[in-house]
Amino acid sequence: MSDLVEADLPQPFRDALRCLREKKDAGARVDAVSGNFAYVWVEKLAKNNALESAGGWLRLPVAFPHANPHGLITREALRGASEGEVGDGHHAGHDMCKPVAGIGGAHYYSWTWENAPPPRTPEDIIGVVQWYERRIRKG
Amino acid sequence: MRLEFALTEKQHADVLDRLFGERAYRRKDPERGFLAAVFPATGAERRTLLLGQIVEPGEDDVYWSPEEGLVMTHRYYSRALSVVQSIDGAGLINVHSHPGPRSGLHPPRPSPEDLEADARELCFASRALPEGRPAAAAIVTPAGAMSVREYGFLRPRTSKEALSVKFGPKGARIVFAERIRIAGPGLRILPGNPGKKLRDLEVDGKALESSILLWGERGQRILGELCIGIAGLGGVGGILAEHLARLGVGTLVLVDYDRLEDANFNRSQGASRADVASRALKVEVYARIAKESATAPRFSVFPYRASVAEAEGLKRLLDCDIVVGAADDAFARQVLDHEAYAHLIPVIDGGTTLVPDAVSKLLVAGKSQVVAAGPGHACLECQGVYTQEEATVARESPGWGRYIDLPDDAEDQLKKELRAPSVICNNGLVASLIGVRILAIALGIAPRTVRGTQRFYVEEGKLAWAATKICKPDCRKSSWTGLGDSHHIPVGADLRWREIQREEGDAKAKRRLGRGLKTAMRRIGRRR
């Protein structure tokens, strides 16, 4: 499925994906595309101090970097730095999980990029992952 | 598909300076030239070649020889090819000067020697480029007139074909660009084909007498030559369709997917109750109104039911010289912002925000705004017309105004809140300011009003200009200028349009099913 979807995605998005694989997670893959958003699985999504890996689907716009990331989907509910559950924007079993529900997507975190400098280049994908990791740590 | 050539005002000035001005190499030579990258920009019915990066010639790379004429050396071609090959989608253009005429803008005619030499050199160059990249040649006069022609060569697949005349320079298919567009911040359209005039436009002197007094028959012909796209036919776009037709604009392209209904009738100037009753498509109603109002003798209007945020709708606008953004949607605005730079088609955006008091419902604040973007202008995003986050939210779902965390029963209330107030008088003001801006850009009248953001502050009744005239330091739009098809414009799925298509599809299927059932019942009845 991944290859089929990827070939149809716009070049800047594919450039971002290449950059993500080179610099962050060689196994990053597109598991679904729904509407204007792609669900990109990143295994090495560091939780706490990067020793554990939470893993999750970044909900990235197909128009990336000209549109902002919106939301994260995970298999398990996330736990923050203090080991309490990450409550910020958490929606278990939300509709947004549907595109990856068949492969375990069950928890939706409705995180938006509001008030942050927007991504501008495909390479900004690395900053996006770091932003997701910060949100996980913040809980 | 017709061919055009486009470049920015800055590039045009640079080309003239390189060929005739201070920066001209070998100034005693009767002709000079250079090689440059060129990008295709493809609309539905128009293909434009856009001038790209010039490959700087060395002192002896281009010279005049009494025996051979203007020579561009193999070394220079080879260097230019290696530059162009590395640029995604770029082809090669050979540009050279003619010493005259020094006045007038009639496109210079290539000599038989020009045609032969260009075909020979470009045949060799196009074989070195990846398939599908354009190869072209241009001639420029000291007055700034240009003629541009694209060369198409059959690409040999076998050694036998490689030796065949059909696949060589003599097999070249030459197509002249019909028009040259020089964009930003103003817009000039010059003829590009030496063998053909621009449309021999008549002017209806009686109908247009009052405006001809202001800009003359020449100005009127410029308007008659223009093709203007209107993206969105709400309160502003609909009024503007009629205004532009009455002004004498030659061609309009209308893009919208909505239908007329009771809820938008109060701001649908020119539409009738019968249009609402039949739920007529806005593009069809305004095409009819524009046709009835047109003053240009050979006026054409092309209505398309599509979304400008999707590839199909955008493609129609890529056939235009100027695009008006009246869609009131951050997604569409972002798409047009990209198009303005990548395809050198200026965009003029306009809209109104009116804010009533929550209790009294009386107006407490509001502003109308008109903004131009494209080469020579700051972009819509930097002028504060939309943010990337707003363009993202608009991609989420139809009418999505808030992201999440709404109680399930909030939907109806939310819809009410999302329904922005709109008044035809403010729409008329915006449409008029857009019309005036088009005149400034296309005719060069009131040059100080070409660039920037013009705002009408409703509560003060004041019309003022915002300070922003250039893009922010981190803005990348100017780096996309003239990249044409090589720049990916972030089109996508307009979810509201998809929803309407689905609903109309369902209703159609239901009607078909209903008809089928009736027929079946009749048949059964007859058998009984």
Side-chain angles (χ1 to χ4, degrees), chain B residues 324-361:
Chain B
V324 173
D328 198 18
D329 172 88
F331 187 0
R333 283 182 163 130
Q334 187 190 41
V335 165
L336 295 182
D337 210 10
H338 279 247
E339 162 272 302
Y341 294 87
H343 287 255
L344 306 187
I345 303 172
V347 168
I348 305 171
D349 182 273
T352 296
T353 309
L354 299 172
V355 185
D357 180 82
V359 181
S360 69
K361 299 291 175 202

Coordinates of all heavy atoms in Angstrom, one line a residue, chain B residues 324-361:
Chain B
V324 N -8.8 37.1 -10.4 CA -9.5 37.7 -9.2 C -9.8 36.6 -8.2 O -10.5 35.7 -8.6 CB -10.7 38.5 -9.6 CG1 -11.4 39.0 -8.4 CG2 -10.4 39.7 -10.5
G325 N -9.3 36.7 -7.0 CA -9.7 35.8 -6.0 C -10.8 36.3 -5.2 O -10.7 37.2 -4.4
A326 N -12.0 35.7 -5.3 CA -13.2 36.2 -4.6 C -13.8 35.0 -3.9 O -15.1 34.9 -3.8 CB -14.1 36.9 -5.5
A327 N -13.0 33.9 -3.6 CA -13.6 32.7 -3.1 C -13.8 32.7 -1.6 O -14.4 31.8 -1.0 CB -12.7 31.5 -3.5
D328 N -13.2 33.7 -0.9 CA -13.4 33.8 0.6 C -13.1 32.5 1.3 O -13.8 32.0 2.1 CB -14.8 34.2 0.9 CG -14.8 34.8 2.4 OD1 -13.8 35.1 2.9 OD2 -15.9 34.9 2.9
D329 N -11.9 31.9 1.0 CA -11.5 30.6 1.5 C -10.0 30.6 1.5 O -9.4 30.8 0.5 CB -12.1 29.5 0.6 CG -11.6 28.1 1.0 OD1 -12.2 27.5 1.9 OD2 -10.6 27.7 0.5
A330 N -9.4 30.3 2.7 CA -8.0 30.3 2.8 C -7.2 29.3 1.9 O -6.1 29.6 1.5 CB -7.6 30.1 4.3
F331 N -7.9 28.2 1.7 CA -7.3 27.1 0.9 C -7.2 27.7 -0.6 O -6.1 27.6 -1.2 CB -8.2 25.9 0.9 CG -7.7 24.6 0.3 CD1 -6.5 24.6 -0.4 CD2 -8.5 23.5 0.3 CE1 -6.1 23.4 -1.0 CE2 -8.1 22.3 -0.3 CZ -6.9 22.3 -0.9
A332 N -8.3 28.2 -1.1 CA -8.3 28.8 -2.4 C -7.3 29.9 -2.5 O -6.5 30.0 -3.5 CB -9.7 29.2 -2.8
R333 N -7.2 30.7 -1.5 CA -6.3 31.9 -1.5 C -4.9 31.4 -1.6 O -4.1 32.0 -2.3 CB -6.5 32.8 -0.3 CG -7.8 33.6 -0.4 CD -8.0 34.5 0.8 NE -8.9 35.5 0.5 CZ -10.0 35.8 1.2 NH1 -10.2 35.2 2.3 NH2 -10.8 36.8 0.8
Q334 N -4.6 30.4 -0.8 CA -3.2 29.9 -0.9 C -2.8 29.4 -2.2 O -1.7 29.6 -2.8 CB -3.0 28.8 0.2 CG -1.6 28.4 0.3 CD -1.4 27.1 1.2 OE1 -2.2 26.2 1.1 NE2 -0.4 27.1 2.0
V335 N -3.8 28.6 -2.9 CA -3.5 28.1 -4.2 C -3.2 29.2 -5.2 O -2.3 29.2 -6.0 CB -4.7 27.2 -4.7 CG1 -4.7 27.0 -6.1 CG2 -4.8 25.9 -3.9
L336 N -4.1 30.3 -5.1 CA -3.9 31.4 -6.0 C -2.6 32.2 -5.7 O -1.9 32.7 -6.7 CB -5.1 32.4 -6.0 CG -6.4 31.8 -6.4 CD1 -7.5 32.9 -6.3 CD2 -6.3 31.3 -7.8
D337 N -2.2 32.2 -4.5 CA -0.9 32.9 -4.1 C 0.3 32.2 -4.8 O 1.2 32.8 -5.3 CB -0.8 32.8 -2.6 CG 0.0 34.0 -2.0 OD1 0.2 35.0 -2.7 OD2 0.3 34.0 -0.8
H338 N 0.2 30.9 -4.8 CA 1.3 30.1 -5.4 C 1.3 30.3 -6.9 O 2.3 30.6 -7.5 CB 1.1 28.6 -5.1 CG 1.6 28.2 -3.8 ND1 2.7 27.4 -3.6 CD2 1.2 28.5 -2.5 CE1 2.9 27.2 -2.3 NE2 2.0 27.8 -1.7
E339 N 0.1 30.3 -7.5 CA -0.1 30.4 -9.0 C 0.5 31.8 -9.4 O 1.1 31.9 -10.5 CB -1.6 30.2 -9.3 CG -2.0 30.8 -10.6 CD -2.5 32.2 -10.6 OE1 -3.4 32.6 -9.8 OE2 -1.9 33.0 -11.3
A340 N 0.2 32.8 -8.6 CA 0.6 34.2 -9.0 C 2.1 34.3 -9.3 O 2.5 34.9 -10.2 CB 0.2 35.2 -7.9
Y341 N 2.9 33.6 -8.5 CA 4.4 33.6 -8.6 C 4.9 32.6 -9.6 O 5.6 32.9 -10.5 CB 5.0 33.5 -7.2 CG 4.7 34.7 -6.4 CD1 3.6 34.7 -5.6 CD2 5.5 35.8 -6.4 CE1 3.2 35.8 -4.9 CE2 5.2 36.9 -5.7 CZ 4.0 36.9 -4.9 OH 3.7 38.0 -4.2
A342 N 4.4 31.4 -9.4 CA 5.0 30.3 -10.2 C 4.6 30.5 -11.7 O 5.4 30.2 -12.6 CB 4.5 28.9 -9.7
H343 N 3.4 31.0 -12.0 CA 2.9 31.1 -13.4 C 2.9 32.5 -13.9 O 2.4 32.8 -15.0 CB 1.5 30.4 -13.5 CG 1.6 28.9 -13.4 ND1 1.4 28.1 -14.5 CD2 1.8 28.1 -12.4 CE1 1.6 26.9 -14.1 NE2 1.8 26.8 -12.8
L344 N 3.3 33.5 -13.1 CA 3.4 34.9 -13.5 C 2.0 35.4 -13.9 O 1.9 36.1 -14.9 CB 4.4 35.1 -14.6 CG 5.8 34.7 -14.4 CD1 6.7 35.1 -15.6 CD2 6.4 35.1 -13.1
I345 N 1.0 35.0 -13.1 CA -0.4 35.5 -13.4 C -0.8 36.3 -12.1 O -1.1 35.7 -11.1 CB -1.4 34.4 -13.6 CG1 -0.9 33.6 -14.8 CG2 -2.8 34.9 -13.9 CD1 -1.7 32.3 -15.1
P346 N -0.8 37.6 -12.2 CA -1.1 38.4 -11.0 C -2.5 38.1 -10.4 O -3.4 37.8 -11.2 CB -1.1 39.9 -11.5 CG -0.5 39.9 -12.8 CD -0.6 38.5 -13.4
V347 N -2.6 38.1 -9.1 CA -3.9 37.8 -8.5 C -4.3 39.0 -7.7 O -3.5 39.7 -7.0 CB -3.7 36.6 -7.5 CG1 -4.9 36.5 -6.6 CG2 -3.5 35.3 -8.2
I348 N -5.6 39.4 -7.8 CA -6.2 40.4 -7.0 C -7.2 39.8 -6.1 O -8.2 39.2 -6.6 CB -6.7 41.6 -7.9 CG1 -5.7 42.1 -8.8 CG2 -7.2 42.7 -7.0 CD1 -6.2 43.0 -9.9
D349 N -7.0 39.9 -4.8 CA -7.9 39.3 -3.9 C -8.7 40.3 -3.1 O -8.2 41.4 -2.9 CB -7.1 38.4 -2.9 CG -8.0 37.7 -1.9 OD1 -8.4 38.3 -0.9 OD2 -8.3 36.5 -2.2
G350 N -10.0 40.0 -2.8 CA -10.8 41.0 -2.1 C -11.8 40.3 -1.2 O -12.3 39.2 -1.5
G351 N -12.2 41.0 -0.1 CA -13.2 40.4 0.7 C -13.5 41.4 1.9 O -12.9 42.4 2.0
T352 N -14.6 41.0 2.6 CA -15.1 41.8 3.7 C -15.3 41.0 4.9 O -15.8 39.9 4.8 CB -16.4 42.5 3.3 OG1 -16.2 43.4 2.2 CG2 -17.0 43.3 4.4
T353 N -14.9 41.5 6.1 CA -15.3 40.9 7.4 C -16.2 41.9 8.1 O -15.8 43.1 8.3 CB -14.0 40.6 8.2 OG1 -13.1 39.9 7.4 CG2 -14.4 39.8 9.4
L354 N -17.4 41.5 8.5 CA -18.3 42.3 9.3 C -18.6 41.6 10.6 O -18.9 40.5 10.6 CB -19.6 42.6 8.5 CG -19.4 43.3 7.1 CD1 -20.8 43.2 6.4 CD2 -18.9 44.7 7.3
V355 N -18.4 42.4 11.7 CA -18.6 41.8 13.0 C -19.7 42.5 13.7 O -19.6 43.6 14.1 CB -17.3 41.8 13.8 CG1 -17.5 41.1 15.1 CG2 -16.1 41.3 13.0
P356 N -20.9 41.8 14.0 CA -21.9 42.4 14.7 C -21.8 42.2 16.2 O -21.1 41.3 16.7 CB -23.2 41.6 14.2 CG -22.6 40.3 13.9 CD -21.2 40.4 13.5
D357 N -22.4 43.1 17.0 CA -22.4 42.9 18.4 C -23.3 41.7 18.8 O -24.3 41.5 18.1 CB -23.1 44.2 19.0 CG -23.1 44.1 20.5 OD1 -22.1 44.4 21.2 OD2 -24.2 43.7 21.1
A358 N -22.8 40.9 19.7 CA -23.5 39.7 20.0 C -25.0 39.9 20.5 O -25.8 39.1 20.2 CB -22.7 38.9 21.1
V359 N -25.2 41.0 21.2 CA -26.6 41.2 21.7 C -27.4 42.0 20.8 O -28.5 41.6 20.3 CB -26.5 41.8 23.1 CG1 -27.9 42.0 23.7 CG2 -25.6 41.0 24.0
S360 N -26.9 43.2 20.5 CA -27.8 44.2 19.7 C -27.8 43.8 18.2 O -28.7 44.2 17.5 CB -27.2 45.6 19.8 OG -26.0 45.7 19.1
K361 N -26.8 43.0 17.7 CA -26.7 42.5 16.3 C -26.3 43.7 15.4 O -26.4 43.6 14.2 CB -27.9 41.8 15.8 CG -28.3 40.6 16.5 CD -27.3 39.5 16.3 CE -27.6 38.2 17.1 NZ -26.5 37.4 17.3

